Amino acid sequence: MKIQIIIISVGGNVLKGKIVQNWSRKIHIYSSMMLLLALLFFAFTGLTLNRPHLYVAKSEVVEYVISLPETLFSAENGYRPNRDELVEVLKQHSAIKGIPSELSIYVDIEDGQLLEGEVELDFKSPGYNAVVFVDVLTKQAEVSTTDYGLVAWLNDLHKGRNTGPSWDAFIDFVSVIMILFTITGGILLLPKKKTLLTAMKWTAVGTVVTVLCYLFSF
């Protein structure tokens, strides 16, 4: 018991030391400025996600047809297009965007003759979805894109939905900076006994409110 008290005391003194306090102050200040726009973004989209009925936008649907080159569908490859080549052609000849799915392919061949063929895939990005249906016989792609609006785009960014690795890394980065901001804020309060006591009381209040809100939500 005495050893634990000594360890806690030594640890507390280290955290109150000048070097730790100076570094904590710098990290706390600059991390808060770094997080300014990110915190505003996640706070605002937290409201739009929690109250979706207040931010209803009309979806914009666009449909069109694209003629595809015959080289994508040759007998040598069983009339099955290469995914990367098909995606490249679709993006070159339309405003389609997003992360492409795997291909769903169905072909009916009899005596080397193509009787029927269909290829489906979709593209997804924040607040956006595109569905592509390809008729292998006619070499035409029917494209249907849906734009769900600005708020849906922001909400998907908040959730990291249909985003690429760079945005996923950004969310991780913001999370780490938030943790540093919180920890350094606590460290800066340690030498200030009166302020620390008040802060601990408000921490207790916030914790109780959080637990009660959770318990009464069911």
Side-chain angles (χ1 to χ4, degrees):
M1 186 68 178
K2 289 182 179 180
I3 295 176
Q4 291 178 340
I5 294 174
I6 292 173
I7 293 174
I8 293 172
S9 177
V10 171
N13 290 331
V14 171
L15 294 177
K16 293 177 184 178
K18 186 176 181 180
I19 296 177
V20 175
Q21 286 290 310
N22 285 339
W23 275 105
S24 295
R25 186 174 292 105
K26 290 179 182 179
I27 294 172
H28 191 73
I29 291 173
Y30 293 119
S31 64
S32 67
M33 298 310 298
M34 190 182 297
L35 288 173
L36 181 61
L37 290 178
L39 283 175
L40 287 173
F41 165 74
F42 284 108
F44 174 76
T45 50
L47 291 173
T48 58
L49 282 167
N50 196 46
R51 302 292 178 182
H53 58 282
L54 297 178
Y55 306 95
V56 178
K58 186 178 180 181
S59 301
E60 181 181 349
V61 180
V62 178
E63 297 179 344
Y64 51 91
V65 176
I66 300 174
S67 295
L68 301 175
E70 293 189 8
T71 53
L72 285 174
F73 313 92
S74 63
E76 287 76 12
N77 60 16
Y79 300 99
R80 298 170 179 268
N82 177 275
R83 175 180 175 273
D84 294 337
E85 292 179 359
L86 176 59
V87 168
E88 185 178 352
V89 170
L90 289 170
K91 288 188 173 182
Q92 285 178 349
H93 294 83
S94 69
I96 203 168
K97 60 183 181 180
I99 302 172
S101 68
E102 295 299 322
L103 301 184
S104 176
I105 303 176
Y106 167 75
V107 291
D108 184 9
I109 303 174
E110 186 175 320
D111 297 328
Q113 182 71 28
L114 177 66
L115 301 179
E116 186 179 2
E118 299 174 354
V119 178
E120 291 184 45
L121 74 157
D122 56 37
F123 294 77
K124 293 183 181 295
S125 67
Y128 172 91
N129 180 59
V131 179
V132 180
F133 173 81
V134 179
D135 188 329
V136 180
L137 283 173
T138 62
K139 311 297 188 296
Q140 288 191 325
E142 298 177 2
V143 182
S144 176
T145 65
T146 305
D147 189 331
Y148 296 97
L150 176 62
V151 174
W153 174 65
L154 293 173
N155 288 345
D156 282 350
L157 286 177
H158 181 110
K159 294 182 289 186
R161 182 183 181 189
N162 300 325
T163 56
S166 60
W167 186 259
D168 293 340
F170 171 75
I171 293 178
D172 292 339
F173 173 76
V174 171
S175 299
V176 171
I177 299 299
M178 285 182 177
I179 293 172
L180 289 174
F181 175 75
T182 304
I183 292 175
T184 52
I187 292 174
L188 290 173
L189 286 172
L190 290 176
K192 305 172 183 178
K193 294 183 179 180
K194 292 184 179 179
T195 307
L196 178 61
L197 181 61
T198 303
M200 292 302 293
K201 290 179 180 178
W202 280 109
T203 301
V205 170
T207 302
V208 171
V209 170
T210 301
V211 172
L212 289 177
C213 287
Y214 172 78
L215 292 177
F216 284 106
S217 64
F218 299 99

